[in-house]
């Protein structure tokens, strides 16, 4: 089992959020890894592996969401600058 479901870099996360083809590819890779995981609830090790997989999924989702939030913040700054100049022009 890999240490992370999908290696997330800022550029990759932005691409996943802005490019439908990259999003589909990313989602497919995550889904394949999750589908390949065979949980075993009968042993302590099996339950530990289930928790580890859940943690990896959560970390991956959080990384993508954080990149989206950063992307929105950057866009918001640009929008705010444009709006400020528009207000100056209208005044």
């Amino acid at each position: 089992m890999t240490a992370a479901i999908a290696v997330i870099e800022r550029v990759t996360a932005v691409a996943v959020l802005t490019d439908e083809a990259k999003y589909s590819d990313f989602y497919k890779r995550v889904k394949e890894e999750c589908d390949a995981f065979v949980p075993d609830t009968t042993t302590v090790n099996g339950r530990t592996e289930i928790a580890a997989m859940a943690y990896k999924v959560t970390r991956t989702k959080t990384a993508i969401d954080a990149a989206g939030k950063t992307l929105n913040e950057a866009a918001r700054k640009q929008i705010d600058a444009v709006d400020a100049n528009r207000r100056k022009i209208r005044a």
Side-chain angles (χ1 to χ4, degrees):
M1 195 162 22
T2 60
I5 288 182
V7 177
I8 306 291
E9 295 177 19
R10 179 162 162 43
V11 174
T12 305
V14 170
V16 166
L17 291 168
T18 58
D19 183 344
E20 189 62 35
K22 290 187 184 202
Y23 171 81
S24 295
D25 181 52
F26 170 78
Y27 182 80
K28 179 180 153 197
R29 286 186 293 148
V30 171
K31 185 165 176 24
E32 285 173 355
E33 185 163 340
C34 288
D35 289 346
F37 178 72
V38 179
D40 177 14
T41 58
T42 61
T43 65
V44 173
N45 279 346
R47 290 187 293 275
T48 302
E49 288 179 3
I50 292 169
M53 177 59 84
Y55 180 70
K56 288 179 201 176
V57 169
T58 300
R59 240 184 18 223
T60 301
K61 289 171 59 176
T62 302
I64 292 290
D65 189 53
K69 183 178 178 183
T70 302
L71 186 62
N72 281 349
E73 288 171 356
R76 175 58 49 200
K77 286 179 185 176
Q78 203 171 20
I79 290 167
D80 289 346
V82 168
D83 285 348
N85 285 332
R86 288 177 59 221
R87 282 191 293 277
K88 287 178 191 175
I89 290 171
R90 288 190 306 243

